[in-house]
Amino acid sequence: MRAMVYRGPYKVRVEEKAQPVVEHPNDAIVRVTMAAICGSDLHLYHGMMPDTRVGMTFGHEFIGVVEEVGSSVRNLVPGDRVMVPFNIFCGTCWFCARGLYANCHNVNPNATAVGGIYGYSHTCGGYDGAQAEYVRVPFADVGPTVIPEWMDDEDAVLLTDALSTGYFGAQLGDIVEGDVVVVFGAGPVGLFAAKAAWLMGAGRVIVVDHLEYRLVKARAFAHAETVNFTECDDVVVHMKKTTDFLGADVAIDAVGAEADGNFTQHVTAAKLKLQGGSPVALNWAIDSVRKGGTISVVGAYGPMFSAVKFGDAMNKGLTLRMNQCHVKRQWPRLFEHIRNGYLKPSDIVTHHIPLEHIAEGYHMFSAKLDGCIKPLIVPNAA
Amino acid sequence: MTYTSDKPPLAESTDQLRARIPGWGADLDPKDRPSVPKLRWQEDRTGAHWDFPDRQPEKWPRERSIEHKFLPPVFGTSCPPKGVSGVIRRFAYRKYSEGRAAHWLLLLAADRVDAWESHLRSFLTARPDNPITETGVLSEFSRHGFSSRIGQKRSDVKHQVLDPVIVAGPWVLAVAITVTLARKLTHRS
């Protein structure tokens, strides 16, 4: 089969690779019909995530058609059109039993601090991902769901990570009616978090970024006020002024490890790999939110330490809430919101890239060229 | 205002927000939020029909965190450790827990060694690594590299100049060292 393959930092190519096989009785093999490049894939692409091996195929947002199932699979049959959460999870460990699917303990030998994720380094279990023609899907009875007839493919693929994660991020904020919510990052997750903040009753939603074309999208798609931090002397002071010096009630970090806005933080983290991530957005969140406020972190960071301002967080009495999203737990409610017309995730898709051109896709997305917000990958066999 | 007990007023009323924002307040009640409370017993086990899953065959000694009691029943089989980088990876897993910086720093070091090993190995194949096609840098021309950056007040442009150094720098250094050594050897003979 044809598959994207990592060749080292900033380098990927498409290669002929052995088609995945059933390795466990509850595996399925899925023919990928659509995948996406996620912002967090860029951390792998830039060599930031420890134990990212040359030869791995990335890709954890995808939909496809079931090609083959293992002997114990009951809920899927070949030919089913499925959407697959980015979490690989067993359904029955201590964590899964309580709904923490992203923290499954039965799927990742390499680390206990993170669950299993498709195509996301060996730190997340060493599974090949779906920027390929076929992918192995473990626990086929647990993770995948048959795509409803009424749902668009592009909406379905965005439900497998970006939309669910943004919605989850807003929930972590414990938003109450009238809250001022500031979202750092106007990428796909930030846009969805801003949109979801309204569903939870926010009184103001403010999105912060430095890419003007994304802020334009935040205003149009997420009905948000926007702040371009390159136009502020100090974004924290700006946030204080715009909230009559109280601070926002809730801040959502939808940026993660490669945050811009502080050259030293960015270079030490993203270029020199001396921190688990550049905590610029997180530190801005800590300082922008009011005392007693809540920080929600859904941006992805590496497992190493980062220079986070915990002193301010402690002195302000903040609540810090964070996790990878338990995708499947969000779906029933998100399906309703899409059916009701409250959410139209595919509105953020900007590019459709053939698998064979994925190297250009990664560069374009990484360098933020051509107004790129969300690139989708279409494999040859789709 | 902030220095009294009143919260600063919002510019829009609830009714105005409801009229302007599709779905405003649909999840106002925390009971409608699927991740509230954080820990919630999942009666349906989301389709699982086991207490503990069947074990996937271990086809080679699978490296694992020493914070695990045993090898979890299901795991990825992409890219088994190989070469010098594989030795470093196995050592990092065997010796250090996830709580130790040494664990992660060794794995990052192994990633860099793996890239070098793989690049060198590729030169023995019919498809050596090609930094032009693999970096996708040609999309600078087809995807408006210039106009996407110039006049856009982007914060990332300052450090993007480092990217070519990160990608090409080690190669330039390696070539320089090789040429220097070759010259010294030639002069000696």
Side-chain angles (χ1 to χ4, degrees):
Chain A
M1 69 167 182
R2 303 292 285 169
M4 167 273 180
V5 164
Y6 175 67
R7 295 297 304 170
Y10 295 83
K11 291 185 283 295
V12 299
R13 71 184 186 190
V14 176
E15 284 182 7
E16 202 61 39
K17 199 168 175 176
Q19 197 165 315
V21 295
V22 169
E23 298 186 52
H24 178 276
N26 211 250
D27 280 358
I29 304 301
V30 168
R31 176 168 57 81
V32 180
T33 53
M34 191 177 282
I37 306 178
C38 176
S40 61
D41 285 331
L42 297 179
H43 310 328
L44 301 173
Y45 176 68
H46 293 147
M48 288 183 72
M49 197 59 66
D51 211 353
T52 302
R53 302 181 189 177
V54 172
M56 181 171 238
T57 297
F58 300 165
H60 55 267
E61 284 184 288
F62 64 99
I63 59 171
V65 176
V66 176
E67 192 80 3
E68 183 186 353
V69 293
S71 58
S72 79
V73 174
R74 299 176 185 173
N75 300 338
L76 295 178
V77 294
D80 281 345
R81 288 174 64 243
V82 289
M83 48 202 290
V84 183
F86 77 81
N87 325 112
I88 299 168
F89 60 108
C90 73
T92 56
C93 69
W94 193 97
F95 305 96
C96 287
R98 290 157 179 82
L100 301 183
Y101 308 146
N103 308 110
C104 177
H105 215 57
N106 274 333
V107 291
N108 183 0
N110 300 76
T112 57
V114 60
I117 301 176
Y118 294 94
Y120 210 78
S121 82
H122 274 66
T123 294
C124 296
Y127 297 90
D128 268 328
Q131 289 164 7
E133 290 181 314
Y134 296 89
V135 61
R136 173 195 169 207
V137 173
F139 293 120
D141 280 336
V142 179
T145 290
V146 173
I147 301 172
E149 284 296 324
W150 53 267
M151 189 178 287
D152 294 341
D153 280 0
E154 292 187 5
D155 290 337
V157 78
L158 291 171
L159 274 158
T160 64
D161 182 354
L163 173 61
S164 299
T165 297
Y167 183 62
F168 178 66
Q171 288 172 79
L172 290 181
D174 278 337
I175 295 166
V176 300
E177 185 172 345
D179 270 355
V180 176
V181 179
V182 55
V183 180
F184 290 94
V189 170
L191 292 170
F192 289 136
K195 193 99 172 163
W198 292 122
L199 299 179
M200 290 166 210
R204 276 179 83 186
V205 178
I206 306 165
V207 176
V208 180
D209 204 296
H210 65 110
L211 297 168
E212 195 54 43
Y213 73 91
R214 291 190 173 193
L215 293 173
V216 168
K217 191 71 176 179
R219 290 192 288 272
F221 172 79
H223 316 283
E225 300 169 47
T226 60
V227 175
N228 187 328
F229 68 73
T230 64
E231 294 172 354
C232 305
D233 282 340
D234 184 325
V235 71
V236 172
V237 174
H238 181 90
M239 292 309 304
K240 293 289 167 66
K241 284 182 178 171
T242 195
T243 56
D244 198 15
F245 292 88
L246 180 66
D249 298 292
V250 175
I252 300 172
D253 171 5
V255 182
E258 296 187 59
D260 274 296
N262 180 308
F263 185 82
T264 306
Q265 290 272 30
H266 183 92
V267 169
T268 53
K271 309 299 184 197
L272 301 176
K273 284 73 174 172
L274 298 175
Q275 299 191 71
S278 161
V280 181
L282 181 52
N283 287 339
W284 283 349
I286 288 170
D287 286 327
S288 297
V289 83
R290 67 165 163 77
K291 284 172 269 194
T294 301
I295 306 281
S296 156
V297 184
V298 284
Y301 289 84
M304 288 245 292
F305 38 76
S306 299
V308 177
K309 299 184 70 181
F310 272 111
D312 281 358
M314 186 273 177
N315 288 324
K316 292 176 75 171
L318 303 186
T319 301
L320 272 66
R321 301 195 64 203
M322 60 207 84
N323 206 340
Q324 298 276 356
C325 174
H326 320 297
V327 170
K328 199 172 178 184
R329 201 166 152 181
Q330 319 306 317
W331 280 355
R333 188 66 174 164
L334 284 173
F335 285 12
E336 285 178 40
H337 288 329
I338 292 173
R339 280 209 102 160
N340 289 335
Y342 300 158
L343 297 170
K344 183 58 182 163
S346 56
D347 282 351
I348 69 157
V349 173
T350 52
H351 293 78
H352 298 78
I353 314 272
L355 177 62
E356 295 296 325
H357 296 167
I358 199 163
E360 286 81 7
Y362 264 91
H363 182 81
M364 173 184 68
F365 192 35
S366 167
K368 311 291 183 286
L369 308 182
D370 203 30
C372 187
I373 294 176
K374 189 65 179 177
L376 299 182
I377 303 299
V378 186
N380 313 0
Chain B
M1 65 172 253
T2 303
Y3 297 90
T4 67
S5 60
D6 297 326
K7 190 171 181 184
L10 293 168
E12 289 177 284
S13 69
T14 297
D15 287 340
Q16 287 170 315
L17 287 167
R18 192 170 273 123
R20 184 170 72 88
I21 313 288
W24 185 90
D27 292 331
L28 200 50
D29 186 343
K31 289 195 190 101
D32 290 327
R33 301 178 188 178
S35 285
V36 179
K38 178 164 79 171
L39 299 179
R40 188 155 66 182
W41 188 258
Q42 305 294 309
E43 207 55 59
D44 66 351
R45 299 186 157 205
T46 65
H49 41 85
W50 47 79
D51 286 325
F52 182 79
D54 291 332
R55 285 193 168 277
Q56 175 182 332
E58 184 182 3
K59 292 182 179 165
W60 62 83
R62 183 64 165 77
E63 67 283 2
R64 68 175 168 90
S65 167
I66 56 175
E67 294 180 45
H68 264 304
K69 183 178 181 181
F70 47 66
L71 182 69
V74 168
F75 46 85
T77 52
S78 171
C79 308
K82 62 179 189 297
V84 176
S85 61
V87 172
I88 300 170
R89 292 190 208 284
R90 288 191 189 285
F91 177 73
Y93 281 105
R94 193 172 59 245
K95 180 79 177 167
Y96 298 109
S97 76
E98 297 159 58
R100 303 280 291 275
H103 176 80
W104 302 111
L105 289 168
L106 279 168
L107 289 174
L108 278 170
D111 290 347
R112 301 293 94 83
V113 172
D114 185 15
W116 274 98
E117 287 180 314
S118 301
H119 291 324
L120 293 174
R121 206 175 292 121
S122 80
F123 293 130
L124 303 174
T125 69
R127 194 181 175 194
D129 278 316
N130 180 339
I132 302 296
T133 56
E134 291 176 10
T135 56
V137 71
L138 294 178
S139 62
E140 287 287 333
F141 303 105
S142 58
R143 300 290 186 177
H144 314 107
F146 188 76
S147 60
S148 293
R149 292 190 180 87
I150 301 305
Q152 300 296 320
K153 298 185 202 165
R154 290 173 49 166
S155 174
D156 55 346
V157 174
K158 281 180 280 189
H159 60 71
Q160 280 185 356
V161 295
L162 296 174
D163 293 347
V165 177
I166 291 169
V167 175
W171 289 97
V172 172
L173 193 65
V175 169
I177 291 170
T178 308
V179 169
T180 307
L181 287 175
R183 276 186 183 161
K184 280 188 179 171
L185 287 172
T186 311
H187 284 306
R188 274 187 197 165
S189 61

